[in-house]
Each structure stands twice: as structure tokens, then as C-alpha cells.
Amino acid sequence: MNKSTKRKIIIGTSVVTACALTSASAYLMLQMVADAVLKREKPKLHKITKRQKDENLEQSVFDKFEEDKRIAAEKLNKKNLEEISITSQDDLKLVGHWWQCENAKRTVICFHGWHVTWDYDFGLSADFLHDNDCNILFAEQRAHGNSEGEYTGFGLLERYDCLDWISWVNERCGNELPIYLYGLSMGAATVLMAASSNPPANVKGVIADSAFSSAREIWQHVFEKNSRIPYNRVETIFNTTADKKLHTDTSYTVSEALESCDVPVLLIHGTDDDIIPVEMAYENYNSCPSHKRMYAVEGAGHCMNYFMDKSGCESEIKKLWERCESPD
């Protein structure tokens, strides 16, 4: 072997080794990103996964929103609600908080968003619901708070948990009392998918605040917004990793599920939401064949709709109740 050939082999081997190491590093990085997105622990890769202020909002407005939610959560926690638990279909302990209402006219089951707590997401609206004759069940989603589970399923797994909670409510209250499903962000995706999964007949309506149309689409949106890496370079590996971790097909979308929904749906979304773009709400709206209403809150960021337009949101929710509970 002459020196020239030997040199080419050495250079070629070095290039192949470098490429292999680069590919291995990229794969490990994507595994870390997938864990940050799906695991129950608070994300460490905060640049990609941290909940951020919507770009169009003034900092003072966002700060007021965060402070009001913190105060409302503390107030809700002081009510000493009844803590309950059920076992999911895949044998996880799921925890909820039950607020009984005397002479209730309906029950509302509430599902919070990704890496947020039940009291933080529903503290602002809890008194409105209870004061309007609602029993309330605040569910702690799997892999959050006191509920078991290693991974969160972005509604793909939680839709079955929602059906289990509906069964619990019917055992507690009977199946004649109307049930409404109320979700924020990932919780909104959860309730939309559950309502499209043949729920009991007394599930009368859904309130979906800031819902995404697809788990994969929201992963792509957040990744592209916070990373300089083109998503199409990592999409296949990331999706395959998510499928394996969740043991489900993550290509199934909220919009696809809604095609078989026959429950009335109220969609609420902020026009300035850059975490989950308002276009996703319209995609869900267009996919839904049942009675539906889209209420867009002008200038509202992600999950800020009730904060920025309390009277409008309450009015829309009451209209849903009236429609669903009025005699035919």
C-alpha cells in the first residue's frame, strides 16, 4: 500500500468516524428533547420547552396574568376540596379534586395543560363554575402532580383517562346529570379527543380553550420557533421516539378525532397565541361535524382568554349550557 492510498484511507476513516459521532450526538440530543417534552419532570432544555410569554404581549400584561393566576390558585387550594383517585386503564393511579355543589345542575370535569397544575389553570374560573350550579372535578393529568405515569401523552393517552373520570362521576352522581368537559391547552386536546371517543350520553358539551390540532404539529411549531435546526431533519427520529415512549401512534390528530364528534363544542382561542396558533383552532372547528362555536379573544395570548375577556368567555359557556340543556 503506497503512502497516498494509506493517507486516503486514514482521511476517509476519520470522516466516517466523525459523521458517525455526529449522528450519534444528534440522536442522543433528540432523545433528550423527547424526554424533556414527554417526561413528567420539569423540562431542563428550557430554551426549547419552556413556557414563554407570547411575543405580541406587553410584559406588564403577562406579569399581571401570571400573578392573578398564582393568587387564584392559592385561593382554590384553601377550599379543602375532596381528594379522590381512580385507576387508569393502564393501571396508573390518577388523582382528582372534587368540589361538590349543593343542588347542582351539571358537573364540569376540568383538565389542565402541559406541565401546569389544576389549581393554576382553573383558579380564575373555578368560582364562576361553582356559583353557576356546577359540581367540579379537577383532574390531575397523568405524569403531573400526584397522578402516576412517566410520560404525558398530549391527549393521545389522556383521552382514555377522561373517559375513566366520566365513569367515576356517573357512579358518584348518577348518569342523568349533564357532564361538560373543560380543558386548557393540552387539556383542551384531551377533552376534544375524549368527546370523539363515544362518551356516555350525558356528556353534553365540551369547552376547549387554546387547543392544538395535532401533537406532532405542536411539537414542530415549538421546535421551529425555538431551534435553528430545520425540523424536517429530525422529524422522523423524534416521532419514532415519541411513538415508542408512549406506546401509541402519535400521528393521530385532534382534528381527525373530531371528525366523529357528535357532542356540541365551544372552541375558545386567543388571536395572539403564538404557542398554539389560532389557525389550529380553526382547523379543529372545520373538522367538527357537530354543533360548534368558535370564540376568538382579540389580543389574547396562550390560555389568557378568561383573564382578558372574563365576561365574554362566561357568556359563551352559559350559552353552551342553555343550548345543551334546553328541552328539544
Side-chain angles (χ1 to χ4, degrees):
M1 182 183 298
N2 60 39
K3 290 184 178 180
S4 177
T5 302
K6 187 175 181 179
R7 187 177 182 184
K8 289 178 181 178
I9 291 174
I10 292 172
I11 293 173
T13 303
S14 299
V15 170
V16 170
T17 302
C19 290
L21 289 172
T22 301
S23 298
S25 297
Y27 180 78
L28 289 173
M29 184 271 288
L30 287 173
Q31 291 286 327
M32 292 173 62
V33 173
D35 278 344
V37 171
L38 301 173
K39 268 197 168 182
R40 71 177 297 130
E41 290 85 358
K42 290 287 186 181
K44 295 180 181 179
L45 300 179
H46 68 280
K47 188 171 183 179
I48 294 178
T49 60
K50 182 181 178 183
R51 180 176 176 179
Q52 299 170 335
K53 176 180 74 67
D54 298 75
E55 292 178 352
N56 296 325
L57 292 174
E58 294 182 5
Q59 187 65 48
S60 59
V61 175
F62 185 75
D63 291 344
K64 179 68 164 54
F65 167 64
E66 292 284 298
E67 179 65 8
D68 282 7
K69 292 194 79 170
R70 184 189 64 79
I71 294 171
E74 291 179 354
K75 179 181 175 183
L76 181 56
N77 258 300
K78 291 178 180 178
K79 295 185 184 295
N80 295 319
L81 308 186
E82 179 185 354
E83 185 171 299
I84 56 178
S85 65
I86 61 173
T87 301
S88 71
Q89 296 177 28
D90 53 348
D91 205 31
L92 298 176
K93 178 184 176 181
L94 303 177
V95 174
H97 305 267
W98 177 251
W99 192 1
Q100 182 79 35
C101 176
E102 188 175 355
N103 300 318
K105 295 180 179 178
R106 64 191 69 85
T107 296
V108 180
I109 309 178
C110 298
F111 291 82
H112 61 79
W114 178 77
H115 280 294
V116 186
T117 59
W118 63 277
D119 49 350
Y120 183 81
D121 259 359
F122 289 100
L124 292 176
S125 58
D127 285 341
F128 158 71
L129 296 173
H130 195 259
D131 291 346
N132 281 273
D133 307 311
C134 299
N135 296 320
I136 313 173
L137 171 59
F138 302 100
E140 294 195 43
Q141 299 232 54
R142 62 170 55 216
H144 288 77
N146 295 307
S147 289
E148 293 180 343
E150 184 177 5
Y151 295 110
T152 181
F154 282 78
L156 294 161
L157 305 179
E158 290 82 358
R159 56 183 158 150
Y160 303 114
D161 301 338
C162 182
L163 295 175
D164 291 337
W165 280 119
I166 293 169
S167 296
W168 183 91
V169 169
N170 281 339
E171 289 177 8
R172 176 80 172 239
C173 303
N175 58 10
E176 294 183 0
L177 198 66
I179 292 176
Y180 295 85
L181 309 177
Y182 188 177
L184 268 69
S185 193
M186 186 187 76
T190 296
V191 298
L192 288 172
M193 297 185 87
S196 305
S197 302
N198 194 30
N202 64 323
V203 174
K204 297 298 184 181
V206 176
I207 306 157
D209 186 323
S210 308
F212 51 75
S213 55
S214 160
R216 287 187 176 183
E217 286 180 11
I218 197 60
W219 296 339
Q220 177 177 352
H221 173 72
V222 173
F223 190 93
E224 290 179 343
K225 185 173 180 292
N226 293 280
S227 174
R228 296 180 181 179
I229 303 171
Y231 189 72
N232 59 8
R233 294 185 183 179
V234 303
E235 181 177 8
T236 300
I237 296 175
F238 188 87
N239 290 340
T240 301
T241 300
D243 286 357
K244 289 180 179 178
K245 289 180 182 296
L246 300 180
H247 303 288
T248 193
D249 180 6
T250 59
S251 68
Y252 186 60
T253 69
V254 177
S255 297
E256 183 182 351
L258 279 170
E259 292 174 1
S260 58
C261 181
D262 59 6
V263 176
V265 171
L266 169 61
L267 297 162
I268 304 174
H269 215 102
T271 61
D272 285 2
D273 188 337
D274 67 353
I275 308 299
I276 298 177
V278 68
E279 288 78 15
M280 289 192 175
Y282 285 107
E283 186 176 344
N284 287 333
Y285 179 88
N286 292 331
S287 298
C288 183
S290 65
H291 175 78
K292 56 196 175 183
R293 164 79 172 149
M294 173 71 190
Y295 186 65
V297 178
E298 194 67 34
H302 187 55
C303 291
M304 295 181 70
N305 302 299
Y306 191 87
F307 167 77
M308 296 192 72
D309 187 9
K310 181 174 181 282
S311 61
C313 290
E314 291 180 353
S315 175
E316 291 295 328
I317 293 171
K318 287 180 178 179
K319 288 177 185 176
L320 177 69
W321 292 337
E322 290 169 4
R323 177 181 178 83
C324 295
E325 296 170 22
S326 61
D328 293 333

